Amino acid sequence: MSQKFDVNFVKAQKPAGGIAVVLQAPEAIGAPGEVDPAGVVAKAAEIGRFRAKALKTLDIVAPHGSPFDRILLLGLGDLAKMAAHDWLKAGGAAVAKLRDSESVTVYLDAAGVEVGGQAAADFALGLLLGAYRFETYKTKKDEDEPRTNNKKPTKVTIVTAAAAAAKKAYAESEAVASGVLLARDLVNEPANVLGPVEFAEKAKALEKLGVEVEILTEREMKRLGMAALLGVAQGSERPPRLAIMQWNGGKPKDRPVAFVGKGVVFDTGGISIKPAAGMEEMKGDMGGAAAVIGLMHVLASRKAKLNAVGILGLVENMPDGNAQRPGDIVTSMSGQTIEVINTDAEGRLVLCDALWYCNDRFKPQFIIDLATLTGAVMVALGSHHAGLFSNDDTLAARLTAAGLASNERVWRMPLGKEYDKMIDSKFADMKNTGGRYAGSITAAQFLQRFVKDAPWAHIDIAGTAMGSPTDEINQSWGSGFGVRLLDELVRTNYES
Ligand code: MN
Ligand code: ZN
């Protein structure tokens, strides 16, 4: 259980004990003499050389003569240069120092500058994201561990002149937080608990938010001809599922936008088995599906005014006696045949049927797929950008802009017929790997063969969905990457 918060926004507040968070400068604390009657905060700031640099803090315990038990000074740097995601980071930096607290008052309007309702809501969103911990399976708590099992939420009062606007904006922030935290929970959850069937149930649970959900079983997928997806699943005791979620917040005849997620609940590599070292991380090979379900949760929670489809291909890649072999040839739903060279290149086999189905049934405005698809993308970009591949310049530009705004950044990589040629097969229409070089590009070329002319983007999140470096707003192994990126994309470009 992560720390819970009860967040309120007010225009003014008499100092009332607990912790005060004061942004930027001691004088932001309100009426002179009210909070810092003896001038100790100002003096401590001077002695502690607090210069209000971005995300730098000074913790002042039990200041003499102050009504607060603690005063936390938090710097913001140059206010004029702050982006939305800097406010998120400020909230995250604050919450790192606030764990184990019952009552917090945040004096937001830095040094007399009114920061506005959106910034206040973003700060609060940063608190929610930064406080997240996955501790479901920790039965013992360290003495100095924060009190995250506390059932009582931390009461946070944010003091700002823009309280009314902040309250309104915060309703959306809460929706975003719930989607990101859902995605993180799913990535962190071990595969023995979260199989394809259990994951599909998580999608089904979105019905309570007004999402229409269909779950296809193995039999129905067989009837649709999804032999590429089914071939991956056949080495596992646990049957596959295809989850189809529809959020209808737009006009009935509006074409939907569509998101497809790779949901390999565990990837052993199959018969082309992976080495033991680090294999446990393959419980996160459903990070794409987690982001898509998280996004659908956000869209439904904030009642987004558009039609959106989310499709999850849910399988487990295991090497039992029934597992597919290298050299096997499968016929995808599209009718195109695929020679399986490497059973560890399974994500594209799952996605190709899900993509084809999505385009065929919904004729969407665009399709974006998210997948922890290739190690090669980590070689190219590390953990600070996801790889973006697209057949549509407008969509690619919008995703890049949404990445900069949300700080879930993407970097566009090339596609081209020379790369496409690398996956031609001797025995079938294509093979599922293109060899060692340009591995993330040939994976994207493979997917492109299943979207016809639909505007499409593929986002390879192998380096960003899990195990990426933690920061102010993410202390978790599973990051929830993609939820805020796609919510930003939709909000900015596709809502009426
Ligand atoms: Mn694999
Ligand atoms: Zn995989």
Side-chain angles (χ1 to χ4, degrees), residues 30-91:
E34 200 171 65
V35 178
D36 187 21
V40 284
V41 175
K43 195 169 174 197
E46 199 187 308
I47 294 167
R49 295 171 181 270
F50 178 75
R51 300 270 185 274
K53 288 207 174 115
L55 308 180
K56 289 278 186 281
T57 56
L58 182 70
D59 210 345
I60 308 163
V61 178
H64 175 73
S66 162
F68 293 105
D69 304 329
R70 265 172 69 199
I71 294 179
L72 179 72
L73 299 181
L74 170 62
L76 299 172
D78 186 350
L79 260 181
K81 286 188 186 149
M82 280 183 79
H85 57 83
D86 292 319
W87 283 105
L88 260 64
K89 281 189 181 170

Side-chain angles (χ1 to χ4, degrees), residues 262 264 267-269 274 282 285 317 343-347 372-373:
K262 170 183 171 183
V264 177
D267 182 14
T268 62
K274 290 174 185 290
M282 285 300 105
D285 207 17
N317 189 21
T343 64
D344 194 12
E346 84 300 339
T372 49
L373 206 64

Side-chain angles (χ1 to χ4, degrees), residues 381-416:
L381 298 172
S383 295
H384 304 295
H385 285 82
L388 167 65
F389 305 82
S390 184
N391 60 3
D392 187 283
D393 290 345
T394 303
L395 183 57
R398 286 174 173 178
L399 274 165
T400 301
L404 290 172
S406 64
N407 207 32
E408 290 192 335
R409 290 169 297 175
V410 295
W411 193 259
R412 192 174 183 186
M413 311 261 281
L415 292 165

Side-chain angles (χ1 to χ4, degrees), residues 180-358:
V180 174
L181 300 197
L182 169 63
R184 287 181 185 172
D185 272 345
L186 292 169
V187 174
N188 287 324
E189 197 69 64
N192 61 326
V193 174
L194 191 70
V197 172
E198 292 79 11
F199 202 121
E201 278 162 14
K202 300 282 183 187
K204 196 79 179 158
L206 263 54
E207 283 180 339
K208 67 175 186 294
L209 298 174
V211 178
E212 270 176 47
V213 184
E214 297 156 71
I215 308 295
L216 303 191
T217 63
E218 203 171 0
R219 220 156 112 209
E220 291 156 315
M221 285 188 269
K222 206 169 269 174
R223 211 173 296 141
L224 288 163
M226 295 184 170
L229 183 152
L230 291 169
V232 177
Q234 78 190 29
S236 169
E237 290 283 331
R238 300 194 284 182
R241 290 289 184 267
L242 192 82
I244 302 139
M245 301 169 281
Q246 294 183 66
W247 167 248
N248 298 312
K251 298 184 193 77
K253 62 172 199 320
D254 289 349
R255 283 167 72 199
V257 297
F259 304 92
V260 174
K262 170 183 171 183
V264 177
V265 298
F266 195 82
D267 182 14
T268 62
I271 294 300
S272 314
I273 199 162
K274 290 174 185 290
M279 205 207 273
E280 70 282 0
E281 304 222 322
M282 285 300 105
K283 72 173 183 175
D285 207 17
M286 28 55 70
V292 170
I293 195 174
L295 173 70
M296 296 303 286
H297 195 287
V298 176
L299 297 179
S301 298
R302 63 176 187 79
K303 306 215 177 317
K305 290 189 175 58
L306 86 166
N307 298 331
V309 174
I311 295 183
L312 316 176
L314 302 167
V315 304
E316 180 174 46
N317 189 21
M318 294 287 265
D320 85 355
N322 193 44
Q324 72 180 348
R325 292 147 291 252
D328 282 5
I329 294 175
V330 292
T331 304
S332 65
M333 184 184 173
S334 72
Q336 300 174 94
T337 56
I338 304 157
E339 183 188 7
V340 179
I341 299 292
N342 186 323
T343 64
D344 194 12
E346 84 300 339
R348 67 202 72 180
L349 297 171
V350 173
L351 286 170
C352 72
D353 279 338
L355 284 167
W356 184 269
Y357 176 83
C358 178

